[in-house]
């Protein structure tokens, strides 16, 4: 079993819809969870960072972490065509490493 | 300012060339990272520098040689690369060497390297 599992998609949704992106993980040592957005041929851009379980909201983005289920989510409200990108979940135990999911390709259809 | 700057943006080099990738940040971060990313794959960690000292080398071939001249700069020296080394090379930084305790890790835009 891979440490971090993420459906690669592609996921296509109409503009204005709520998008739900998810990752599961197997390592209970992970405590720090991040979501990155990566446009084609660009570096990853940090969207959300959360510690342990709970929710965090920033504008149209909400990140959820459920450590008991080893499951994290990113919700995007009022999705826009400019949200079309690859979304990478990432997580870290208490060391220097960031473990990335494979990324989900998201297409928002105008 | 949450910017990590990488130069050059694009690089084409022959298998006998020697070149260097550069990364700079002025956020006072004390950890800097090199990642390699192939198309449609997640970034793969290569090296971590903590307080200007190499703390992690993920079994990277010696044709890749990192250098951290000071707390703001990170270089990756390239020599005798192979075509399969063609990829996007990403630099990242975080406030403290332990990503978790620092919170965020910020990435540069990457150098797209093509080895011919």
């Amino acid at each position: 079993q891979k440490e971090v599992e993420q459906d690669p998609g592609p996921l296509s949704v109409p503009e204005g819809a709520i998008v739900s992106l998810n990752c599961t993980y197997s390592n209970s040592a992970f405590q720090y969870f991040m979501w990155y957005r990566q446009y084609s041929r660009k570096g990853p851009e940090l969207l959300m960072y959360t510690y342990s379980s709970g929710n965090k909201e920033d504008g149209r983005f909400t990140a959820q972490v459920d450590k008991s289920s080893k499951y994290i989510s990113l919700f995007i409200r009022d999705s826009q065509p400019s949200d079309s990108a690859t979304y990478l979940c990432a997580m870290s135990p208490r060391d220097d490493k960031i473990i990335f999911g494979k990324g989900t390709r998201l297409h928002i259809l105008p | 300012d949450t910017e990590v700057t990488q130069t050059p943006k694009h690089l084409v080099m022959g298998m006998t060339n020697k070149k260097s990738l550069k990364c700079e940040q002025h956020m006072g971060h004390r950890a800097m990272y090199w990642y390699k990313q192939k198309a449609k794959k997640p970034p793969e960690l290569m090296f971590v520098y903590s307080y200007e000292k190499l703390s992690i080398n993920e079994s990277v071939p010696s044709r890749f040689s990192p250098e951290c001249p000071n707390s703001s700069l990170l270089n990756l020296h390239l020599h005798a690369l192979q075509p399969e080394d063609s990829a996007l090379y990403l630099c990242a930084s975080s406030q403290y060497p332990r990503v978790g305790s620092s919170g965020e890790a910020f990435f540069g835009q990457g150098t797209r390297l093509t080895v011919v």
Side-chain angles (χ1 to χ4, degrees):
Chain A
Q1 183 184 10
K2 288 193 168 69
E3 279 197 290
V4 179
E5 299 272 8
Q6 184 176 12
D7 186 337
L11 176 64
S12 297
V13 299
E15 184 177 356
I18 295 175
V19 175
S20 173
L21 303 166
N22 311 294
C23 288
T24 59
Y25 62 94
S26 58
N27 187 346
S28 57
F30 290 140
Q31 296 198 56
Y32 304 92
F33 304 92
M34 291 154 277
W35 284 96
Y36 287 86
R37 176 175 63 194
Q38 188 171 23
Y39 292 110
S40 181
R41 307 176 77 85
K42 300 288 188 184
E45 173 193 5
L46 181 68
L47 283 178
M48 299 289 282
Y49 160 74
T50 51
Y51 168 69
S52 196
S53 285
N55 292 2
K56 186 173 183 178
E57 188 173 322
D58 184 0
R60 296 186 296 113
F61 299 93
T62 300
Q64 288 185 350
V65 174
D66 182 348
K67 290 191 73 180
S68 62
S69 303
K70 297 191 178 68
Y71 187 88
I72 69 170
S73 300
L74 178 71
F75 298 96
I76 307 174
R77 289 184 298 281
D78 187 24
S79 55
Q80 307 292 313
S82 58
D83 295 326
S84 298
T86 295
Y87 289 79
L88 296 149
C89 66
M91 42 200 83
S92 176
R94 291 186 159 217
D95 61 21
D96 301 344
K97 295 185 182 184
I98 307 170
I99 312 297
F100 284 90
K102 289 193 167 200
T104 299
R105 284 178 291 141
L106 174 66
H107 299 293
I108 306 298
L109 306 170
Chain B
D1 180 11
T2 56
E3 191 168 329
V4 176
T5 304
Q6 288 187 246
T7 55
K9 289 188 170 47
H10 302 276
L11 178 63
V12 179
M13 61 184 290
M15 289 187 284
T16 58
N17 291 160
K18 285 185 182 180
K19 296 285 185 184
S20 296
L21 309 185
K22 297 187 183 303
C23 175
E24 192 167 357
Q25 57 87 15
H26 296 288
M27 295 178 277
H29 288 178
R30 302 313 300 271
M32 297 185 76
Y33 311 78
W34 280 115
Y35 283 82
K36 173 182 176 180
Q37 187 175 27
K38 302 284 269 185
K40 298 187 180 180
K41 299 286 186 185
E44 296 174 13
L45 183 65
M46 299 174 72
F47 302 103
V48 181
Y49 271 84
S50 304
Y51 296 98
E52 294 100 69
K53 287 186 171 38
L54 184 64
S55 62
I56 291 180
N57 176 340
E58 290 286 297
S59 302
V60 179
S62 60
R63 57 186 185 268
F64 295 91
S65 175
E67 179 197 17
C68 189
N70 60 54
S71 59
S72 299
L73 295 174
L74 186 67
N75 298 323
L76 185 63
H77 302 298
L78 313 173
H79 174 54
L81 295 194
Q82 303 297 310
E84 58 264 28
D85 296 320
S86 299
L88 182 69
Y89 287 84
L90 293 159
C91 173
S93 71
S94 61
Q95 187 174 8
Y96 299 111
R98 291 189 170 186
V99 170
S101 61
S102 74
E104 303 92 331
F106 294 93
F107 281 79
Q109 291 301 297
T111 294
R112 185 156 300 279
L113 174 68
T114 303
V115 181
V116 296

PDB file of all heavy atoms in Angstrom, chain A residues 4-26:
ATOM      1  N   VAL A   4       0.588   7.484   0.427  1.00  0.00           N
ATOM      2  CA  VAL A   4      -0.453   8.467   0.137  1.00  0.00           C
ATOM      3  C   VAL A   4      -1.138   8.066  -1.162  1.00  0.00           C
ATOM      4  O   VAL A   4      -0.473   7.853  -2.171  1.00  0.00           O
ATOM      5  CB  VAL A   4       0.140   9.884  -0.007  1.00  0.00           C
ATOM      6  CG1 VAL A   4      -0.958  10.891  -0.323  1.00  0.00           C
ATOM      7  CG2 VAL A   4       0.892  10.283   1.255  1.00  0.00           C
ATOM      8  N   GLU A   5      -2.448   7.975  -1.128  1.00  0.00           N
ATOM      9  CA  GLU A   5      -3.224   7.610  -2.304  1.00  0.00           C
ATOM     10  C   GLU A   5      -4.078   8.789  -2.723  1.00  0.00           C
ATOM     11  O   GLU A   5      -4.771   9.405  -1.896  1.00  0.00           O
ATOM     12  CB  GLU A   5      -4.139   6.409  -1.995  1.00  0.00           C
ATOM     13  CG  GLU A   5      -3.404   5.146  -1.593  1.00  0.00           C
ATOM     14  CD  GLU A   5      -3.000   4.281  -2.787  1.00  0.00           C
ATOM     15  OE1 GLU A   5      -3.146   4.729  -3.937  1.00  0.00           O
ATOM     16  OE2 GLU A   5      -2.513   3.167  -2.548  1.00  0.00           O
ATOM     17  N   GLN A   6      -4.039   9.086  -4.025  1.00  0.00           N
ATOM     18  CA  GLN A   6      -4.842  10.185  -4.562  1.00  0.00           C
ATOM     19  C   GLN A   6      -5.272   9.809  -5.961  1.00  0.00           C
ATOM     20  O   GLN A   6      -4.444   9.383  -6.777  1.00  0.00           O
ATOM     21  CB  GLN A   6      -4.011  11.485  -4.583  1.00  0.00           C
ATOM     22  CG  GLN A   6      -4.778  12.705  -5.020  1.00  0.00           C
ATOM     23  CD  GLN A   6      -3.962  13.994  -4.946  1.00  0.00           C
ATOM     24  OE1 GLN A   6      -2.751  13.980  -4.766  1.00  0.00           O
ATOM     25  NE2 GLN A   6      -4.626  15.121  -5.117  1.00  0.00           N
ATOM     26  N   ASP A   7      -6.546   9.949  -6.242  1.00  0.00           N
ATOM     27  CA  ASP A   7      -7.088   9.617  -7.552  1.00  0.00           C
ATOM     28  C   ASP A   7      -6.564  10.621  -8.571  1.00  0.00           C
ATOM     29  O   ASP A   7      -6.760  11.824  -8.401  1.00  0.00           O
ATOM     30  CB  ASP A   7      -8.622   9.670  -7.497  1.00  0.00           C
ATOM     31  CG  ASP A   7      -9.270   9.192  -8.794  1.00  0.00           C
ATOM     32  OD1 ASP A   7      -8.603   9.236  -9.854  1.00  0.00           O
ATOM     33  OD2 ASP A   7     -10.439   8.791  -8.738  1.00  0.00           O
ATOM     34  N   PRO A   8      -5.910  10.167  -9.642  1.00  0.00           N
ATOM     35  CA  PRO A   8      -5.321  11.114 -10.589  1.00  0.00           C
ATOM     36  C   PRO A   8      -6.321  11.840 -11.481  1.00  0.00           C
ATOM     37  O   PRO A   8      -5.976  12.820 -12.134  1.00  0.00           O
ATOM     38  CB  PRO A   8      -4.394  10.224 -11.432  1.00  0.00           C
ATOM     39  CG  PRO A   8      -4.978   8.864 -11.335  1.00  0.00           C
ATOM     40  CD  PRO A   8      -5.593   8.773  -9.975  1.00  0.00           C
ATOM     41  N   GLY A   9      -7.569  11.362 -11.506  1.00  0.00           N
ATOM     42  CA  GLY A   9      -8.569  11.992 -12.357  1.00  0.00           C
ATOM     43  C   GLY A   9      -8.352  11.599 -13.815  1.00  0.00           C
ATOM     44  O   GLY A   9      -7.833  10.519 -14.092  1.00  0.00           O
ATOM     45  N   PRO A  10      -8.746  12.441 -14.793  1.00  0.00           N
ATOM     46  CA  PRO A  10      -9.173  13.827 -14.578  1.00  0.00           C
ATOM     47  C   PRO A  10     -10.597  13.924 -14.025  1.00  0.00           C
ATOM     48  O   PRO A  10     -11.412  13.047 -14.232  1.00  0.00           O
ATOM     49  CB  PRO A  10      -9.099  14.436 -15.976  1.00  0.00           C
ATOM     50  CG  PRO A  10      -9.286  13.282 -16.900  1.00  0.00           C
ATOM     51  CD  PRO A  10      -8.694  12.088 -16.221  1.00  0.00           C
ATOM     52  N   LEU A  11     -10.817  15.017 -13.304  1.00  0.00           N
ATOM     53  CA  LEU A  11     -12.109  15.319 -12.744  1.00  0.00           C
ATOM     54  C   LEU A  11     -12.630  16.565 -13.457  1.00  0.00           C
ATOM     55  O   LEU A  11     -11.979  17.599 -13.438  1.00  0.00           O
ATOM     56  CB  LEU A  11     -11.970  15.585 -11.238  1.00  0.00           C
ATOM     57  CG  LEU A  11     -13.209  16.021 -10.478  1.00  0.00           C
ATOM     58  CD1 LEU A  11     -14.263  14.921 -10.504  1.00  0.00           C
ATOM     59  CD2 LEU A  11     -12.850  16.388  -9.034  1.00  0.00           C
ATOM     60  N   SER A  12     -13.795  16.444 -14.098  1.00  0.00           N
ATOM     61  CA  SER A  12     -14.382  17.560 -14.834  1.00  0.00           C
ATOM     62  C   SER A  12     -15.683  17.959 -14.172  1.00  0.00           C
ATOM     63  O   SER A  12     -16.555  17.105 -13.960  1.00  0.00           O
ATOM     64  CB  SER A  12     -14.646  17.164 -16.291  1.00  0.00           C
ATOM     65  OG  SER A  12     -13.427  16.864 -16.946  1.00  0.00           O
ATOM     66  N   VAL A  13     -15.810  19.235 -13.829  1.00  0.00           N
ATOM     67  CA  VAL A  13     -17.033  19.737 -13.201  1.00  0.00           C
ATOM     68  C   VAL A  13     -17.416  21.049 -13.856  1.00  0.00           C
ATOM     69  O   VAL A  13     -16.565  21.773 -14.385  1.00  0.00           O
ATOM     70  CB  VAL A  13     -16.862  19.937 -11.681  1.00  0.00           C
ATOM     71  CG1 VAL A  13     -16.528  18.627 -10.994  1.00  0.00           C
ATOM     72  CG2 VAL A  13     -15.806  20.978 -11.380  1.00  0.00           C
ATOM     73  N   PRO A  14     -18.718  21.388 -13.846  1.00  0.00           N
ATOM     74  CA  PRO A  14     -19.133  22.653 -14.457  1.00  0.00           C
ATOM     75  C   PRO A  14     -18.783  23.832 -13.562  1.00  0.00           C
ATOM     76  O   PRO A  14     -18.700  23.713 -12.327  1.00  0.00           O
ATOM     77  CB  PRO A  14     -20.652  22.495 -14.580  1.00  0.00           C
ATOM     78  CG  PRO A  14     -21.018  21.497 -13.546  1.00  0.00           C
ATOM     79  CD  PRO A  14     -19.851  20.581 -13.389  1.00  0.00           C
ATOM     80  N   GLU A  15     -18.585  24.961 -14.174  1.00  0.00           N
ATOM     81  CA  GLU A  15     -18.284  26.189 -13.447  1.00  0.00           C
ATOM     82  C   GLU A  15     -19.359  26.469 -12.407  1.00  0.00           C
ATOM     83  O   GLU A  15     -20.550  26.292 -12.652  1.00  0.00           O
ATOM     84  CB  GLU A  15     -18.205  27.363 -14.436  1.00  0.00           C
ATOM     85  CG  GLU A  15     -17.807  28.683 -13.822  1.00  0.00           C
ATOM     86  CD  GLU A  15     -17.671  29.783 -14.879  1.00  0.00           C
ATOM     87  OE1 GLU A  15     -17.806  29.488 -16.076  1.00  0.00           O
ATOM     88  OE2 GLU A  15     -17.420  30.942 -14.485  1.00  0.00           O
ATOM     89  N   GLY A  16     -18.910  26.889 -11.224  1.00  0.00           N
ATOM     90  CA  GLY A  16     -19.847  27.198 -10.149  1.00  0.00           C
ATOM     91  C   GLY A  16     -20.123  26.032  -9.216  1.00  0.00           C
ATOM     92  O   GLY A  16     -20.665  26.230  -8.121  1.00  0.00           O
ATOM     93  N   ALA A  17     -19.748  24.830  -9.614  1.00  0.00           N
ATOM     94  CA  ALA A  17     -19.994  23.651  -8.781  1.00  0.00           C
ATOM     95  C   ALA A  17     -19.008  23.609  -7.612  1.00  0.00           C
ATOM     96  O   ALA A  17     -17.973  24.270  -7.605  1.00  0.00           O
ATOM     97  CB  ALA A  17     -19.868  22.380  -9.617  1.00  0.00           C
ATOM     98  N   ILE A  18     -19.375  22.803  -6.605  1.00  0.00           N
ATOM     99  CA  ILE A  18     -18.445  22.543  -5.502  1.00  0.00           C
ATOM    100  C   ILE A  18     -17.581  21.347  -5.888  1.00  0.00           C
ATOM    101  O   ILE A  18     -18.089  20.307  -6.301  1.00  0.00           O
ATOM    102  CB  ILE A  18     -19.198  22.249  -4.196  1.00  0.00           C
ATOM    103  CG1 ILE A  18     -19.982  23.479  -3.749  1.00  0.00           C
ATOM    104  CG2 ILE A  18     -18.218  21.823  -3.094  1.00  0.00           C
ATOM    105  CD1 ILE A  18     -20.854  23.250  -2.532  1.00  0.00           C
ATOM    106  N   VAL A  19     -16.275  21.528  -5.734  1.00  0.00           N
ATOM    107  CA  VAL A  19     -15.325  20.464  -6.060  1.00  0.00           C
ATOM    108  C   VAL A  19     -14.851  19.817  -4.765  1.00  0.00           C
ATOM    109  O   VAL A  19     -14.561  20.502  -3.778  1.00  0.00           O
ATOM    110  CB  VAL A  19     -14.111  21.028  -6.817  1.00  0.00           C
ATOM    111  CG1 VAL A  19     -13.054  19.949  -7.052  1.00  0.00           C
ATOM    112  CG2 VAL A  19     -14.546  21.652  -8.134  1.00  0.00           C
ATOM    113  N   SER A  20     -14.765  18.503  -4.771  1.00  0.00           N
ATOM    114  CA  SER A  20     -14.256  17.760  -3.623  1.00  0.00           C
ATOM    115  C   SER A  20     -13.067  16.918  -4.074  1.00  0.00           C
ATOM    116  O   SER A  20     -13.184  16.084  -4.967  1.00  0.00           O
ATOM    117  CB  SER A  20     -15.350  16.858  -3.055  1.00  0.00           C
ATOM    118  OG  SER A  20     -14.830  16.014  -2.056  1.00  0.00           O
ATOM    119  N   LEU A  21     -11.927  17.157  -3.462  1.00  0.00           N
ATOM    120  CA  LEU A  21     -10.698  16.416  -3.766  1.00  0.00           C
ATOM    121  C   LEU A  21     -10.270  15.699  -2.493  1.00  0.00           C
ATOM    122  O   LEU A  21     -10.381  16.246  -1.398  1.00  0.00           O
ATOM    123  CB  LEU A  21      -9.598  17.365  -4.233  1.00  0.00           C
ATOM    124  CG  LEU A  21      -9.942  18.228  -5.453  1.00  0.00           C
ATOM    125  CD1 LEU A  21      -8.936  19.349  -5.629  1.00  0.00           C
ATOM    126  CD2 LEU A  21     -10.007  17.377  -6.699  1.00  0.00           C
ATOM    127  N   ASN A  22      -9.755  14.468  -2.648  1.00  0.00           N
ATOM    128  CA  ASN A  22      -9.482  13.667  -1.462  1.00  0.00           C
ATOM    129  C   ASN A  22      -8.170  12.914  -1.566  1.00  0.00           C
ATOM    130  O   ASN A  22      -7.704  12.604  -2.658  1.00  0.00           O
ATOM    131  CB  ASN A  22     -10.609  12.619  -1.288  1.00  0.00           C
ATOM    132  CG  ASN A  22     -11.981  13.229  -1.395  1.00  0.00           C
ATOM    133  OD1 ASN A  22     -12.369  14.012  -0.557  1.00  0.00           O
ATOM    134  ND2 ASN A  22     -12.694  12.895  -2.451  1.00  0.00           N
ATOM    135  N   CYS A  23      -7.625  12.612  -0.411  1.00  0.00           N
ATOM    136  CA  CYS A  23      -6.463  11.733  -0.304  1.00  0.00           C
ATOM    137  C   CYS A  23      -6.637  10.836   0.905  1.00  0.00           C
ATOM    138  O   CYS A  23      -7.208  11.263   1.922  1.00  0.00           O
ATOM    139  CB  CYS A  23      -5.165  12.525  -0.146  1.00  0.00           C
ATOM    140  SG  CYS A  23      -4.630  13.368  -1.631  1.00  0.00           S
ATOM    141  N   THR A  24      -6.132   9.632   0.791  1.00  0.00           N
ATOM    142  CA  THR A  24      -6.035   8.753   1.953  1.00  0.00           C
ATOM    143  C   THR A  24      -4.567   8.442   2.197  1.00  0.00           C
ATOM    144  O   THR A  24      -3.733   8.554   1.290  1.00  0.00           O
ATOM    145  CB  THR A  24      -6.816   7.442   1.740  1.00  0.00           C
ATOM    146  OG1 THR A  24      -6.284   6.780   0.587  1.00  0.00           O
ATOM    147  CG2 THR A  24      -8.289   7.713   1.531  1.00  0.00           C
ATOM    148  N   TYR A  25      -4.275   8.067   3.424  1.00  0.00           N
ATOM    149  CA  TYR A  25      -2.882   7.767   3.748  1.00  0.00           C
ATOM    150  C   TYR A  25      -2.835   6.629   4.743  1.00  0.00           C
ATOM    151  O   TYR A  25      -3.825   6.284   5.390  1.00  0.00           O
ATOM    152  CB  TYR A  25      -2.172   9.014   4.277  1.00  0.00           C
ATOM    153  CG  TYR A  25      -2.739   9.577   5.564  1.00  0.00           C
ATOM    154  CD1 TYR A  25      -2.205   9.221   6.798  1.00  0.00           C
ATOM    155  CD2 TYR A  25      -3.790  10.490   5.540  1.00  0.00           C
ATOM    156  CE1 TYR A  25      -2.708   9.751   7.976  1.00  0.00           C
ATOM    157  CE2 TYR A  25      -4.302  11.013   6.709  1.00  0.00           C
ATOM    158  CZ  TYR A  25      -3.763  10.649   7.917  1.00  0.00           C
ATOM    159  OH  TYR A  25      -4.277  11.173   9.085  1.00  0.00           O
ATOM    160  N   SER A  26      -1.659   6.040   4.850  1.00  0.00           N
ATOM    161  CA  SER A  26      -1.541   4.851   5.700  1.00  0.00           C
ATOM    162  C   SER A  26      -0.663   5.097   6.924  1.00  0.00           C
ATOM    163  O   SER A  26      -0.743   4.355   7.903  1.00  0.00           O
ATOM    164  CB  SER A  26      -0.954   3.693   4.886  1.00  0.00           C
ATOM    165  OG  SER A  26       0.315   4.052   4.356  1.00  0.00           O
TER     166      SER A  26
END
